[in-house]
Amino acid sequence: MQTQLSRRQTDKLSPANITGLKHRDGRDSEVVMSYSYHRERSYSSRSGSRSSSRRRFKESLIIITIVLAIIIALMFVCLKLWQGKNELQNSLVEKSVIVKTYEQELSILRTLNPYHVGSSEVLQEAVNNIDLFPGWITRVYPLPENHEKAMYMMDLGSFVMNETRFSLSSHQRYGIPKPNKSMYRMNGLMPSHVKGRHQIGIEFYINDRKLVVAKDKSGIGSCYARVDVNQKRVIDKHLRIFTRYNTEQMLTGEVELNKGLFPISAVFYCDKRSDFNGADVEVAISFRQPNQSSLSVERNSIFHIYNPQGVTAKL
């Protein structure tokens, strides 16, 4: 038995068997290497496809982002163009209103210039013909939303104001519509007898009749005054008025003038939210020449041009 077993073991270790085993081990190693190679190749191909997919995804995101940015930019440009169009339309409307107002101003100035001469010669012609009369050319307006828009409104009528102290309801005596609250725009000619610094004073008086009945009540309001002399702003201010403490307020301004006759304009009104009506508000305008010591109120401080023979003359 032992001899047979040894022979069998010897047979197993014979050169032929050893060679077969070598061949089998080689095939096994080749199979293992082939499997490893295919596995690595499969892994690398999957990795490559994944990186390629990621790259394509990133490129798609970049393209989408660029397209969205272009769309947003185009929408922004369209919005700006639309806003510009609206602003242009609003500007055209405002310009047309201004042109219409200037045309009205020109027609009024034509009625104030009764001579067939140029506008630069009107004052000299008025002085030569002694056609200057005391008083302001006063136009009545509804209350504006703010003082910037006051210059572009249509007036309700005009009259000559030849009073040193007047209320903002004085127009009711001249057949002009009777709004409870109104704005006055006044124009005239201011003589300067002495070269130097001239002072102008505007004083508001609040005569609230309701306070007579209810003395414990306080009227509150905001009033506006503006004065221009020879195209120079002299007074431009809003006043806050509380009648419980003070029913009078004073504004002053100064302007440098040579000797001569200069255009002057003034605007007065109290806001819509004020407790005062036009009849409750009185205004006094005073002047001081360089050779005077204090402000004075005189009827001959402001003039306008009047010539009955040529009131409607055209320039």
Side-chain angles (χ1 to χ4, degrees), residues 194-212:
V194 180
K195 178 182 178 180
R197 186 170 293 277
H198 294 249
Q199 188 178 33
I200 300 173
I202 305 295
E203 190 163 9
F204 281 88
Y205 300 88
I206 305 301
N207 182 24
D208 193 346
R209 295 174 178 81
K210 303 172 193 173
L211 299 180
V212 177

Side-chain angles (χ1 to χ4, degrees), residues 50-214:
R50 289 176 182 174
S51 61
S52 177
S53 300
R54 290 174 183 172
R55 185 170 60 253
R56 286 196 298 270
F57 179 71
K58 290 180 180 179
E59 291 175 352
S60 301
L61 283 180
I62 293 172
I63 293 172
I64 292 172
T65 304
I66 293 172
V67 171
L68 288 176
I70 293 173
I71 293 173
I72 292 172
L74 290 174
M75 291 175 63
F76 180 76
V77 171
C78 293
L79 179 62
K80 284 294 182 181
L81 290 175
W82 182 74
Q83 290 177 346
K85 178 184 176 182
N86 289 340
E87 290 176 358
L88 181 60
Q89 289 177 345
N90 294 335
S91 177
L92 289 175
V93 171
E94 291 178 0
K95 292 293 189 299
S96 64
V97 172
I98 293 173
V99 169
K100 187 175 181 179
T101 304
Y102 284 161
E103 288 176 350
Q104 183 196 27
E105 291 286 334
L106 181 58
S107 65
I108 292 173
L109 290 174
R110 282 173 175 164
T111 63
L112 297 179
N113 177 12
Y115 316 111
H116 295 278
V117 297
S119 58
S120 60
E121 305 171 43
V122 171
L123 291 180
Q124 187 61 45
E125 193 76 16
V127 172
N128 294 339
N129 294 328
I130 318 178
D131 289 335
L132 293 175
F133 291 82
W136 298 78
I137 300 296
T138 305
R139 277 167 281 167
V140 185
Y141 296 82
L143 288 182
E145 295 179 7
N146 53 65
H147 63 272
E148 287 85 2
K149 295 184 178 180
M151 300 299 104
Y152 310 128
M153 299 174 61
M154 304 292 288
D155 68 85
L156 303 174
S158 61
F159 65 98
V160 175
M161 175 77 73
N162 189 18
E163 302 175 23
T164 57
R165 178 169 167 170
F166 54 90
S167 73
L168 295 184
S169 63
S170 300
H171 59 280
Q172 296 178 4
R173 303 194 301 267
Y174 297 89
I176 298 172
K178 303 177 180 180
N180 291 330
K181 299 181 180 182
S182 57
M183 180 186 78
Y184 280 12
R185 185 177 178 188
M186 307 165 68
N187 293 87
L189 298 170
M190 175 181 169
S192 171
H193 303 291
V194 180
K195 178 182 178 180
R197 186 170 293 277
H198 294 249
Q199 188 178 33
I200 300 173
I202 305 295
E203 190 163 9
F204 281 88
Y205 300 88
I206 305 301
N207 182 24
D208 193 346
R209 295 174 178 81
K210 303 172 193 173
L211 299 180
V212 177
V213 180

Side-chain angles (χ1 to χ4, degrees), residues 266-286:
V267 175
F268 305 110
Y269 69 88
C270 291
D271 296 339
K272 293 180 180 179
R273 293 175 293 179
S274 297
D275 294 335
F276 322 122
N277 291 324
D280 302 325
V281 183
E282 295 184 351
V283 180
I285 307 175
S286 54

Side-chain angles (χ1 to χ4, degrees), residues 206 208 211 217-221 241-246 275-276:
I206 305 301
D208 193 346
L211 299 180
K217 182 180 178 181
S218 177
I220 301 174
I241 300 175
F242 300 88
T243 56
R244 181 186 293 273
Y245 306 106
N246 192 0
D275 294 335
F276 322 122

